[in-house]
Amino acid sequence: MSVEYDILIIGGGINGCGIARDAAGRGYSVYLCEADDLASGTSSQSTKLIHGGLRYLEHYEFRLVRESLTEREILWQIAPHIIHPLRFVLPHHKTLRPAWLLRLGLFLYDHIGGRKKLPATKVLNLQIDEAGKNLRHDYKKGFEYSDCAVDDARLVILNALDAHELGASINTLTKCVSLKRNDKHWKVTLKNQENQALTNVTAKLVINASGPWVDTVLNQLYPEKNNQNIRLVQGSHIIVPKLYQHEKCYIFQNEDNRIIFAIPYQLDFTLIGTTDHEYQGDPSKTHITQDEIDYLCSSVNHYFIKEISSTDIVGTFSGVRSLVNDNSSKAQEATRDYVLNRDKPDEDSATLINIFGGKITTFRRLAESVMKEVESHIGKRKKGAWTEKSHLPGGDFAAQDYGTVIKGLHNEYPFLTHNEITHFIKCYGTRTNQILNDIRSTKDLGTHFGHGLYQKEVEYLIHTEWALTADDILWRRTKLGLYFTQKEKEELEIWIKKALLNKQLKGTIHEEGHS
């Protein structure tokens, strides 16, 4: 038996989940399949920024920068719990880009995106400003500008959650193994990795939002072709104990014309990245190389007084970005823009929309562009564009009221520590009360797995957010994995397996047929 949907989406990253949310909100029936966990690929391996892309100006990508800068403030307003303003310090390096060029670039950055609420750029005297205290003394002048930080994986999860609540079927551990056109419909065969069962789904339109695997899906459909629409670029990051005490970020220029960020991360750490080099092989098996570690350490050591080495690293992550294959000579020069490719051999054939490239900042605009294609092929439904002013789950409060929300939760749950309250708000926003409902003491939170992670939160993540493993919880639903020992992680994994096996979590989102 085959269930028919308007749209089937392949890929549970930011683009796939963003499209699912937009489509479900417009009244389309949507089925999304993801071979692994949501955000398990590129969308959880980013530099955790919502930004315009200052360096893209050098490559004359003005449209992309304008769109990204406009989206920066929109996304901050619809998800103020997981997106937060940051100030970035750009030290002037005398032998690299001249100061006038940096000032011109930042002037454009301030104005072409319609900045309204984020502070403007200013010039810094690094000899007296706090941002200069941990920099080498030869950096005397700098610039400070605005961008935003984001919990990238949670952005994906919240889009999926909203899509699900709007009626979309979100299916993790579900791989597309066959795509076949049947007149004006698609017959899609799916394999569920949990029980290896095959399922057939019929859809009027298929969207290939599989990121680094987009050509793999196309080659499945057209085995006679050698599709090379994207180029894979590996980006790696290192995490070290906090290198400085203030909350500003740094953007450092390098002699190879690339830039590196140093960003306060998870209270106790500094995140440094990213690298850019061509990647060949399975996108799911990336790992940081020693050359990348050396490059990142060397880059920041040119700027910070306190030098770091590989022995200081407490964590790393590495992912593959799928960039449009524009034949640029260097990975860092490849466009970060997206291209929508419509595959429809004739008028009587079902349509396939392929997404090449893109960046996390522009996912919402990309989804709107995809919906225009959807409407032209299978018709409009009950609603038009709607996501610009609609909060993501838990983000239904004004960005300027973030501190008030924190204070309110402190008053309601005085037995929780400040760090625990902050963790809940940064992950769940106003939906924190769904986890803490009827909790009157720490004891009511159940088993404590360590570092502020309690049974009630784990149960919520399994029941509501498709989490099935310790990694799902520690690295994608939260970022607590940085604090957990291997033993603590193993104990959490054992508890989850027992809970699922014993059906302690009956009525989970998985058992309802949306796994």
Side-chain angles (χ1 to χ4, degrees):
M1 179 179 175
S2 178
V3 181
E4 180 170 307
Y5 292 85
D6 290 326
I7 303 167
L8 183 137
I9 300 169
I10 304 172
I14 187 57
N15 288 335
C17 291
I19 294 166
R21 176 187 184 234
D22 196 336
R26 295 183 193 226
Y28 294 95
S29 57
V30 178
Y31 185 104
L32 181 144
C33 61
E34 162 57 46
D36 202 319
D37 181 31
L38 298 173
S40 57
T42 308
S43 296
S44 59
Q45 311 297 329
S46 77
T47 314
K48 324 299 182 193
L49 297 178
I50 298 293
H51 66 133
L54 182 60
R55 68 189 179 91
Y56 304 156
L57 291 173
E58 287 189 314
H59 302 297
Y60 309 108
E61 296 201 61
F62 298 113
R63 189 211 63 79
L64 175 62
V65 175
R66 181 184 297 109
E67 181 175 282
S68 299
L69 289 171
T70 302
E71 283 300 289
R72 182 181 61 179
E73 293 204 1
I74 291 173
L75 295 179
W76 175 32
Q77 297 307 306
I78 68 173
H81 51 326
I82 62 166
I83 297 175
H84 307 277
L86 291 174
R87 294 292 280 175
F88 285 76
V89 176
L90 171 59
H92 174 231
H93 193 300
K94 292 180 180 179
T95 64
L96 299 178
R97 297 169 180 87
W100 68 264
L101 182 61
L102 297 178
R103 189 179 293 109
L104 175 61
L106 287 166
F107 176 83
L108 290 173
Y109 205 71
D110 266 350
H111 291 89
I112 67 173
R115 179 188 56 80
K116 296 177 180 178
K117 297 184 178 180
L118 293 170
T121 298
K122 67 179 183 180
V123 178
L124 296 182
N125 180 345
L126 294 176
Q127 293 178 301
I128 59 174
D129 192 272
E130 65 171 353
K133 293 179 181 178
N134 50 289
L135 294 175
R136 293 183 180 275
H137 300 303
D138 44 341
Y139 297 105
K140 303 183 184 304
K141 181 179 183 179
F143 303 90
E144 183 180 300
Y145 68 94
S146 293
D147 266 326
C148 291
V150 64
D151 187 327
D152 50 4
R154 287 216 58 78
L155 185 64
V156 177
I157 301 298
L158 295 182
N159 272 274
L161 182 58
D162 210 21
H164 169 71
E165 293 177 354
L166 290 165
S169 178
I170 307 296
N171 302 268
T172 61
L173 298 181
T174 303
K175 184 177 182 180
C176 172
V177 295
S178 175
L179 270 177
K180 292 183 180 179
R181 283 187 171 96
N182 183 10
D183 295 327
K184 292 186 177 182
H185 292 75
W186 287 98
K187 181 180 178 181
V188 186
T189 303
L190 306 159
K191 179 187 286 186
N192 187 308
Q193 292 183 8
E194 285 186 299
N195 56 28
Q196 300 299 304
L198 292 176
T199 304
N200 289 323
V201 173
T202 302
K204 296 176 183 177
L205 183 145
V206 170
I207 298 172
N208 181 8
S210 52
W213 293 271
V214 66
D215 281 337
T216 302
V217 172
L218 275 172
N219 289 330
Q220 184 183 79
L221 181 62
Y222 300 113
E224 73 280 2
K225 295 182 180 180
N226 181 25
N227 286 282
Q228 295 183 346
N229 300 287
I230 59 171
R231 62 194 296 184
L232 301 182
V233 175
Q234 177 169 315
S236 296
H237 299 76
I238 59 175
I239 302 169
V240 299
K242 185 183 288 187
L243 293 175
Y244 52 89
Q245 295 305 310
H246 61 79
E247 291 303 309
K248 295 179 182 179
C249 308
Y250 291 92
I251 174 172
F252 295 143
Q253 304 175 79
N254 292 321
E255 292 182 356
D256 59 2
N257 289 323
R258 296 194 52 253
I259 56 95
I260 294 294
F261 292 103
I263 302 170
Y265 190 61
Q266 298 299 305
L267 298 178
D268 300 309
F269 307 99
T270 299
L271 173 65
I272 297 168
T274 181
T275 59
D276 265 315
H277 72 81
E278 302 288 345
Y279 180 81
Q280 303 290 332
D282 185 343
S284 66
K285 299 188 183 304
T286 56
H287 64 276
I288 194 167
T289 65
Q290 187 60 49
D291 284 346
E292 288 178 302
I293 290 173
D294 293 342
Y295 178 85
L296 293 174
C297 290
S298 175
S299 295
V300 297
N301 287 345
H302 282 300
Y303 288 87
F304 285 135
I305 295 173
K306 180 181 179 180
E307 294 192 353
I308 62 169
S309 68
S310 56
T311 59
D312 297 302
I313 296 173
V314 298
T316 69
F317 60 90
S318 185
V320 173
R321 297 187 290 277
S322 57
L323 306 181
V324 177
N325 191 359
D326 59 359
N327 298 313
S328 55
S329 59
K330 296 180 181 179
Q332 61 264 33
E333 294 175 357
T335 180
R336 266 54 176 177
D337 211 342
Y338 56 85
V339 171
L340 304 184
N341 167 262
R342 182 176 65 250
D343 185 302
K344 185 179 174 69
D346 55 64
E347 284 301 313
D348 294 324
S349 297
T351 301
L352 170 69
I353 298 175
N354 300 293
I355 299 171
F356 305 139
K359 58 197 292 278
I360 197 165
T361 303
T362 54
F363 84 90
R364 195 195 64 83
R365 288 290 291 272
L366 182 150
E368 288 188 334
S369 297
V370 170
M371 294 315 301
K372 290 179 181 178
E373 291 286 333
V374 170
E375 290 176 348
S376 70
H377 288 283
I378 63 175
K380 291 187 177 182
R381 291 296 187 264
K382 61 183 180 182
K383 192 174 184 178
W386 64 279
T387 59
E388 180 176 345
K389 296 183 179 180
S390 180
H391 292 98
L392 284 167
D396 51 338
F397 60 91
Q400 62 267 26
D401 292 338
Y402 180 82
T404 303
V405 174
I406 292 269
K407 185 178 179 180
L409 208 63
H410 267 300
N411 293 335
E412 193 168 356
Y413 304 101
F415 51 87
L416 294 176
T417 68
H418 176 73
N419 285 352
E420 287 169 346
I421 291 288
T422 301
H423 162 75
F424 278 121
I425 292 299
K426 283 189 172 182
C427 286
Y428 313 106
T430 57
R431 293 205 172 189
T432 297
N433 287 323
Q434 292 187 13
I435 302 173
L436 301 181
N437 187 36
D438 296 328
I439 300 299
R440 296 293 174 263
S441 68
T442 303
K443 183 179 178 180
D444 295 334
L445 291 168
T447 302
H448 184 220
F449 300 103
H451 313 286
L453 181 68
Y454 290 89
Q455 180 178 338
K456 290 288 287 187
E457 184 176 0
V458 172
E459 289 178 343
Y460 173 85
L461 292 172
I462 294 173
H463 182 276
T464 310
E465 294 192 1
W466 298 275
L468 289 170
T469 69
D471 277 350
D472 294 349
I473 290 171
L474 296 179
W475 296 111
R476 288 179 285 276
R477 305 311 186 280
T478 74
K479 293 294 187 290
L480 295 173
L482 282 168
Y483 296 96
F484 269 62
T485 66
Q486 184 62 30
K487 182 180 179 182
E488 289 169 333
K489 176 184 172 182
E490 290 170 357
E491 289 172 349
L492 173 61
E493 191 74 70
I494 290 169
W495 187 93
I496 293 170
K497 288 180 178 179
K498 285 182 178 179
L500 293 171
L501 185 64
N502 296 330
K503 302 295 184 182
Q504 285 180 296
L505 295 166
K506 289 185 178 181
T508 68
I509 203 166
H510 311 282
E511 292 173 340
E512 292 164 5
H514 299 282
S515 62

